[in-house]
């Protein structure tokens, strides 16, 4: 088999992700200042001391950006992984089992989708209080509905394949069929969805932070930083644009990598040797 | 060649080379390697070969078309003296459908399901500006009549789903003929049809071509079919010409070794009658078994059948006769509605979930399409290894050893264990499916059309393999097929199915030598023979009885 030519796009994607992840991991060591240290006047312009300037409370934006990467990426990642765990297993089970299992799960998902996501999470968060676990589970459950629909649709196509029937005839359990027969073949669309959901997750956290129910101060997260500094745009300061750019670059990085990974991965199906 | 013949030449290909590049790879591979052919007006040339021989590619090249990813790399395609390759896209478009027309293999997939047939059949003459819609419609009705379609006046107002497969294929022939083309490219036009339907379509198309003096390129893998319609035959293999000659000569005096092998697949002998012991309890015994899909009509009705150890029972019937459903009922995928199934004398639970793992192990199923029966993301070692793990609990070295043994049984070398199905040919994939069934160490193997997706020589190999496995291990086979040639070769006993019922059952000789049911007789007569006059004889014989039954 020929090695696929690697183009520039995935290299950019991988580099962006590596930079972001190392920023997240190394934040306590490389950040010039503490996450919550107030060091000067509000929205001070960039200086040699503070490369990206100061925020609404006079904290170093660069340092908060680095610490923010930590919170945002780890939270978004755990939300997405949890959402996929719920959505994919429920979606596959619905497709493979059919009958009442499918009906119950699908209608349940319809009900959740009928309630506006933001309102739903506001209710949950105001009842249970805003903590990281509650935040994770709430957003994960909400985004698992879309994943459920996608994985159910993909698995419906695969469930009629003869190799799935072979496994059934062999007497395999549902879990094994889902894991070994269906999942590997459903991976390409699911991975594309993963990249997208990952980005949605921290945009959702940002939205909640904007309403004061996301990550609680003084901890930094990128969405929250946009909110805290939003008014600065009126004074010609770039402060809110910097965390927004951070969100954008990570989104692009993840998507570039996913785009490259998709056709590359489906190559195992290759052409037959005749 | 005389001067007159030269002038009447309508299509000429000189040293045609077509290359293809596969996705991700940068180099191209030749799929047609320097082919030359010439087609005179009114002449039908048969292109024959197995899949990958390049026959469809050549057929499309006659229209100046190549599939996405492939390009015409060299040679000339002269249509009526003009090189198609030099024409502009617009000029080529004028040619297609108008002077060169194409009939595809699957009419059902080629028609737009949302448009009435008339609209699709009359599209070409209207688009090419030959006539208005009304006139085209009148001509279409005439074509329907020539093609023996039912109710030609109103046939065109049907939607594709309201016509049968054979009717659609004929409607497609009408569509292709709507502009009175000089050349018709027929790409396996009858392959997807049942034998009994194939006759009618073949006869109609042949009549049409002869009446209109249309030249034809008839592409097929079935030598017996092409013999009925072609004047000359070109045998292709791997993109090169193996042999070219008159139909008579190719059939009766094939020169190339490959052609000889192709011709002989049709005349392979009958299986020596099986030595199944009738006193023994049958492996499988069905009595009065009926089944239906939810709320639909019964697809299997009152079926009685038994299969003994070391015996091959063939279930023959057209598509829709319920033969595959019968397999689903036996395996438990579709619970039976009524009746009894005894397995080694013990009642078999109707549903899959109610059966023990050991029972599941004992009945194995091999599918028609090896492409979808193998998970494309599992290596061969996992595909064959899983039943070994699951049923027999083999692990580690014992597992690897057994996988190698099984690969050896199906005549593949042990290093195939590391391959993915995508890296195997069609025949190799089907062998892997067989190995997976063998791995379970079954008593009964149900083979559902296992050879119909394969090329004749490859199918031959699979049948030989199954036969030798039966001899050494004594498996009982239930062989579901529509191909009577296959039945003759491997079956001890035959059951003929029609609309869910078994209409005839008995030993091969009983059922086939003295067919007592009219359907068996019709089925038998419909199998193409390696004889250029077979269709003529059949139609002449049938003439009277056909009118009566219609």
């Amino acid at each position: 088999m020929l090695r696929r030519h690697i183009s520039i796009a995935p290299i950019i994607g991988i580099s962006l992700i590596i930079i972001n992840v190392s920023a997240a991991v190394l934040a306590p060591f490389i950040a010039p200042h503490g996450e919550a240290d107030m060091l000067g006047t509000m929205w001070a312009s960039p200086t040699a001391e503070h490369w990206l300037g100061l925020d609404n409370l006079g904290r170093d934006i660069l340092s908060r950006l680095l610490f923010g990467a930590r919170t945002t990426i780890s939270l978004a990642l755990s939300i997405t992984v949890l959402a996929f765990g719920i959505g994919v297993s429920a979606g596959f089970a619905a497709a493979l089992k059919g009958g009442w299992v499918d009906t119950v799960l699908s209608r349940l998902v319809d009900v959740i989708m009928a309630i506006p996501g933001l309102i739903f999470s506001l209710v949950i968060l105001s009842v249970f209080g805003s903590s990281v676990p509650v935040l994770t589970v709430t957003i994960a459950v909400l985004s698992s509905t879309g994943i459920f629909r996608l994985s159910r649709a993909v698995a419906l196509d695969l469930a009629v394949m003869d190799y799935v029937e072979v496994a059934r005839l062999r007497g395999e359990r549902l879990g094994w069929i889902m894991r070994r027969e269906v999942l590997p073949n459903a991976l390409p669309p699911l991975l594309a969805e993963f990249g997208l959901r990952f980005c949605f997750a921290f945009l959702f956290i940002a939205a909640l932070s904007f309403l004061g129910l996301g990550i609680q101060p003084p901890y930094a997260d990128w969405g929250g930083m946009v909110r805290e500094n939003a008014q600065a745009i009126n004074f010609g300061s770039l402060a809110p644009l910097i965390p927004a750019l951070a969100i954008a670059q990570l989104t692009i990085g993840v998507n570039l990598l996913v785009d490259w990974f998709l056709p590359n991965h489906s190559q195992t199906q290759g052409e037959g040797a005749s | 060649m005389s001067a007159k013949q030269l002038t009447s030449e309508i299509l000429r290909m000189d040293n045609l080379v077509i290359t293809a590049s596969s996705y991700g790879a940068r180099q191209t591979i030749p799929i047609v390697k320097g082919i030359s052919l010439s087609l005179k007006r009114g002449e039908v040339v048969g292109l024959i070969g197995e899949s990958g021989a390049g026959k469809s590619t050549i057929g499309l090249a006659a229209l100046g078309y190549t599939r996405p990813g492939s390009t015409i790399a060299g040679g000339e395609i002269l249509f009526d003296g003009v090189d198609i390759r030099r024409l502009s896209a617009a000029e080529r478009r004028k040619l297609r459908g108008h002077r060169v027309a194409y009939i595809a293999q699957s009419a059902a997939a080629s028609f737009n399901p949302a448009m009435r047939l008339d609209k699709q059949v009359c599209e070409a003459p209207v688009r090419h500006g030959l006539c208005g819609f009304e006139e085209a419609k009148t001509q279409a009705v005439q074509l329907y009549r020539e093609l023996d379609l039912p109710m030609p006046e109103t046939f065109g107002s049907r939607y594709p789903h309201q016509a049968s497969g054979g009717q659609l294929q004929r409607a497609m022939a009408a569509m292709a003929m709507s502009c009175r083309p000089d050349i018709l490219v027929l790409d396996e036009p009858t392959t997807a049809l049942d034998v009994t339907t194939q006759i009618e379509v073949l006869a109609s198309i042949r009549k049409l071509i002869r009446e209109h003096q249309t030249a034809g390129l008839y592409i097929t893998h079935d030598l017996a079919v092409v013999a009925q319609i072609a004047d000359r035959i070109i045998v292709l293999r791997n993109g090169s010409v193996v042999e070219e000659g008159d139909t008579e000569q190719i059939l009766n005096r094939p020169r190339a070794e490959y052609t000889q092998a192709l011709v002989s697949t049709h005349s392979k002998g009958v299986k020596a009658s099986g030595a199944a012991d009738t006193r023994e309890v049958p492996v499988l015994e069905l009595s009065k078994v009926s089944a239906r899909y939810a709320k639909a009509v019964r697809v299997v009705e009152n079926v009685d059948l038994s299969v003994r150890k070391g015996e091959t029972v063939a279930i023959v019937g057209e598509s829709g006769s319920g033969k595959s459903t019968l397999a689903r009922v036996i395996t438990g995928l579709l619970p039976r509605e009524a009746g009894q199934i005894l397995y080694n004398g013990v009642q078999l639970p109707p549903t899959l979930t109610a059966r023990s793992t050991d029972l599941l192990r004992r009945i194995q199923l091999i599918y028609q399409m090896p492409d979808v029966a193998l998970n494309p993301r599992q290596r061969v070692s996992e595909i064959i290894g899983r039943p070994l793990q699951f049923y027999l609990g083999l692990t580690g070295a014992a597992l690897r050893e057994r996988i190698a043994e099984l690969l050896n049984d199906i005549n593949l070398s042990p290093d195939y264990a590391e391959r993915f199905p995508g890296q195997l040919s069609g025949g190799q994939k089907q062998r892997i499916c067989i190995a997976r069934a063998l791995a379970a160490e079954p008593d009964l193997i149900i083979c559902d059309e296992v050879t119909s997706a394969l090329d004749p020589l490859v199918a031959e190999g699979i049948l030989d393999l199954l036969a030798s496995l039966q001899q050494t291990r004594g498996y009982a086979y239930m062989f579901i097929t529509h191909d009577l040639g296959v039945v003759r070769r491997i079956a001890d006993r035959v059951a003929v199915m029609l609309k869910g019922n078994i209409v005839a059952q008995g030993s091969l000789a009983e059922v086939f030598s003295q067919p007592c049911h009219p359907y068996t007789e019709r089925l038998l007569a419909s199998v193409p023979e390696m004889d250029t006059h077979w269709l003529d004889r059949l139609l002449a014989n049938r003439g009277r009885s056909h009118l009566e039954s219609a």
Side-chain angles (χ1 to χ4, degrees):
Chain A
M1 194 171 278
L2 265 139
R3 238 174 77 87
R4 219 177 113 85
H5 178 71
I6 297 181
S7 55
I8 189 80
I11 295 175
I12 297 176
I14 292 172
S15 326
L16 282 175
I17 290 169
I18 290 174
I19 292 170
N20 280 290
V21 170
S22 24
V25 173
L26 301 175
F29 309 106
I30 56 170
H33 300 280
E35 194 172 357
D37 298 352
M38 285 179 251
L39 304 158
T41 50
M42 131 174 160
W43 295 325
S45 300
T47 57
E49 168 75 23
H50 308 292
W51 290 0
L52 298 175
L54 300 177
D55 74 353
N56 62 331
L57 295 177
R59 294 169 296 195
D60 182 40
I61 290 185
L62 177 63
S63 307
R64 280 183 70 76
L65 214 51
L66 292 170
F67 279 105
R70 192 162 236 238
T71 332
T72 311
I73 294 175
S74 60
L75 193 60
L77 197 66
S78 43
I79 287 171
T80 322
V81 169
L82 185 64
F84 265 77
I86 302 170
V88 170
S89 45
F92 282 2
L96 289 169
K97 275 278 170 190
W100 66 268
V101 177
D102 187 15
T103 313
V104 168
L105 285 172
S106 295
R107 293 301 83 78
L108 184 69
V109 164
D110 289 348
V111 169
I112 299 177
M113 285 183 116
I115 309 168
L118 201 56
I119 311 271
F120 185 85
S121 36
L122 287 181
V123 172
I124 299 286
L125 289 171
S126 41
V127 172
F128 293 101
S130 180
S131 63
V132 169
V134 175
L135 205 59
T136 312
V137 172
T138 311
I139 304 179
V141 168
L142 281 175
S143 41
S144 70
T145 53
I147 300 164
F148 169 87
R149 288 201 163 177
L150 176 77
S151 42
R152 179 178 169 274
V154 175
L156 273 180
D157 282 344
L158 295 168
V160 297
M161 288 291 178
D162 288 343
Y163 55 80
V164 176
E165 197 174 291
V166 169
R168 277 196 175 137
L169 278 177
R170 192 157 57 223
E172 297 284 3
R173 291 182 186 287
L174 183 66
W176 195 89
I177 297 180
M178 277 168 34
R179 221 173 44 249
R180 296 296 316 146
E181 304 285 353
V182 176
L183 184 62
N185 292 291
L187 222 46
L190 289 182
L191 276 172
E193 184 76 3
F194 191 92
L196 213 61
R197 288 286 159 194
F198 177 71
C199 304
F200 281 171
F202 61 76
L203 294 177
F204 204 91
I205 303 171
L208 286 176
S209 301
F210 195 87
L211 297 167
L213 283 166
I215 306 287
Q216 297 304 306
Y219 299 108
D221 82 284
W222 291 348
M225 286 171 71
V226 177
R227 192 237 344 186
E228 291 159 3
N229 299 302
Q231 285 147 9
I233 206 85
N234 298 331
F235 308 108
S237 162
L238 293 178
L241 294 185
I242 295 163
L245 267 176
I247 294 174
Q249 55 83 28
L250 183 56
T251 310
I252 292 170
V254 170
N255 280 301
L256 284 179
L257 184 67
V258 167
D259 284 350
W260 167 78
F261 192 63
L262 288 185
N264 204 30
H265 193 85
S266 48
Q267 266 224 324
T268 35
Q269 274 178 318
E271 256 116 81
S274 46
Chain B
M1 201 180 276
S2 76
K4 193 185 161 213
Q5 272 177 318
L6 266 177
T7 51
S8 71
E9 187 176 69
I10 182 76
L11 180 75
R12 182 179 188 84
M13 291 185 185
D14 270 326
N15 209 10
L16 182 69
V17 178
I18 298 176
T19 58
S21 59
S22 60
Y23 179 75
R26 284 180 148 187
Q27 80 229 53
T28 56
I29 36 165
I31 48 177
V32 172
K33 305 163 185 165
I35 291 228
S36 303
L37 70 84
S38 98
L39 184 65
K40 298 187 212 54
R41 282 183 193 277
E43 184 190 40
V44 178
V45 169
L47 292 178
I48 184 153
E50 56 196 36
S51 49
K55 50 192 195 305
S56 291
T57 313
I58 297 170
L60 289 171
L63 285 87
Y65 179 81
T66 51
R67 292 211 183 92
S70 49
T71 38
I72 301 175
E76 281 189 322
I77 306 168
L78 294 169
F79 176 81
D80 213 358
V82 183
D83 191 352
I84 296 187
R85 290 185 66 199
R86 287 172 213 278
L87 295 180
S88 69
E91 287 170 312
R92 237 179 280 165
R93 199 157 55 233
K94 258 182 219 158
L95 215 64
R96 289 178 195 153
H98 179 193
R99 301 197 61 196
V100 192
Y102 181 74
I103 298 181
Q105 173 170 3
S106 172
S110 305
F111 276 107
N112 183 339
M115 275 162 73
R116 290 181 197 277
L117 291 172
D118 258 347
K119 230 180 156 185
Q120 305 184 54
V121 171
C122 301
E123 196 178 7
V126 175
R127 294 285 297 176
H128 283 291
L130 299 180
C131 58
F133 184 76
E134 283 312 312
E135 198 189 331
K137 207 169 153 181
T138 331
Q139 284 176 4
V141 170
Q142 180 57 32
L143 284 167
Y144 297 152
R145 190 169 292 124
E146 287 174 35
L147 285 160
D148 305 310
L149 280 163
M151 294 183 285
E153 281 77 19
T154 55
F155 180 78
S157 59
R158 295 189 193 184
Y159 283 99
H161 72 268
Q162 293 169 315
S164 71
Q167 288 169 355
L168 276 184
Q169 202 69 49
R170 277 179 278 173
M172 190 136 166
M175 180 153 84
M177 288 300 285
S178 62
C179 291
R180 316 285 146 166
D182 297 306
I183 303 178
L184 209 50
V185 178
L186 303 112
D187 195 351
E188 305 258 18
T190 63
T191 308
L193 305 172
D194 289 316
V195 272
T196 45
T197 325
Q198 166 168 294
I199 307 258
E200 289 156 27
V201 174
L202 198 60
S204 306
I205 289 179
R206 190 174 68 162
K207 193 171 89 181
L208 194 70
I209 294 182
R210 288 195 180 159
E211 273 169 19
H212 292 268
Q213 282 293 302
T214 314
L217 273 182
Y218 198 103
I219 297 160
T220 182
H221 68 274
D222 192 335
L223 201 48
V225 165
V226 82
Q228 310 310 319
I229 198 163
D231 303 304
R232 280 190 301 127
I233 291 178
I234 298 175
V235 183
L236 297 164
R237 194 179 196 191
N238 299 331
S240 312
V241 174
V242 174
E243 188 171 358
E244 182 177 356
D246 290 341
T247 305
E248 205 73 46
Q249 179 254 309
I250 295 279
L251 287 193
N252 301 325
R253 299 176 303 281
R255 280 188 293 263
E257 207 173 303
Y258 177 67
T259 320
Q260 284 162 0
L262 270 186
V263 172
S264 70
T265 55
H266 275 262
S267 49
K268 270 272 171 73
V270 174
K271 183 188 175 181
S273 191
D277 192 346
T278 43
R279 287 162 305 177
E280 235 177 275
V281 181
V283 175
L284 186 76
E285 194 166 19
L286 281 72
S287 57
K288 303 235 175 305
V289 171
S290 299
R292 75 171 85 207
Y293 291 105
K295 286 175 200 161
V297 286
R298 279 198 176 163
V299 246
V300 172
E301 224 169 343
N302 276 334
V303 165
D304 292 317
L305 191 76
S306 67
V307 187
R308 287 167 201 285
K309 190 168 186 287
E311 182 187 48
T312 304
V313 175
I315 314 283
V316 195
E318 298 186 346
S319 48
S321 62
K323 53 191 196 307
S324 288
T325 309
L326 189 60
R328 294 177 68 85
V329 171
I330 294 169
T331 52
L333 282 166
L334 179 69
R336 58 183 180 266
E337 196 182 29
Q340 274 196 13
I341 302 180
L342 295 180
Y343 189 80
N344 282 330
V346 184
Q347 183 83 274
L348 199 61
T351 59
L352 198 60
T353 41
R355 294 183 188 179
S356 67
T357 312
D358 189 55
L359 262 180
L360 293 173
R361 176 182 69 77
R362 282 157 176 271
I363 305 179
Q364 290 292 316
L365 188 61
I366 304 175
Y367 291 82
Q368 173 174 10
M369 309 289 281
D371 288 314
V372 287
L374 298 176
N375 190 333
R377 307 225 180 234
Q378 289 180 0
R379 287 178 195 279
V380 167
S381 55
E382 189 176 354
I383 292 169
I384 306 181
R386 181 62 192 173
L388 294 173
Q389 274 176 345
F390 186 79
Y391 292 128
L392 311 171
L394 294 184
T395 46
L399 179 67
R400 277 195 301 280
E401 202 172 302
R402 186 78 187 105
I403 292 173
E405 271 173 37
L406 283 165
L407 283 172
N408 186 43
D409 285 345
I410 54 165
N411 306 329
L412 289 179
S413 74
D415 47 297
Y416 275 84
E418 289 314 304
R419 295 210 188 179
F420 283 103
Q423 296 164 304
L424 303 171
S425 71
Q428 288 169 342
K429 279 183 213 164
Q430 195 60 292
R431 278 164 197 270
I432 298 299
C433 291
I434 293 174
R436 175 171 60 190
L438 296 185
E441 297 178 7
D443 304 322
L444 173 70
I445 301 181
I446 302 176
C447 303
D448 190 354
E449 301 270 13
V450 288
T451 55
S452 54
L454 303 173
D455 291 314
L457 290 177
V458 178
E460 202 67 14
I462 295 288
L463 290 180
D464 288 339
L465 174 67
L466 286 170
S468 74
L469 286 169
Q470 185 177 45
Q471 252 173 13
T472 49
R473 321 261 168 96
Y475 299 124
Y477 289 143
M478 191 173 133
F479 227 92
I480 295 166
T481 183
H482 68 274
D483 187 341
L484 294 177
V486 170
V487 175
R488 282 214 178 85
R489 279 210 45 207
I490 54 113
D492 300 303
R493 286 193 304 119
V494 189
V496 182
M497 271 189 99
L498 177 66
K499 293 179 187 149
N501 293 287
I502 290 188
V503 294
Q505 189 174 179
S507 73
L508 194 61
E510 277 164 12
V511 176
F512 279 6
S513 313
Q514 305 115 20
C516 39
H517 193 278
Y519 176 71
T520 319
E521 209 168 335
R522 224 179 95 213
L523 200 62
L524 276 174
S526 305
V527 180
E529 285 165 25
M530 283 285 186
D531 175 357
T532 44
H533 301 298
W534 163 75
L535 187 60
D536 300 317
R537 265 192 288 119
L538 181 73
L539 292 176
N541 280 343
R542 207 194 253 185
R544 215 178 43 242
S545 61
H546 196 69
L547 285 175
E548 279 163 12
S549 64

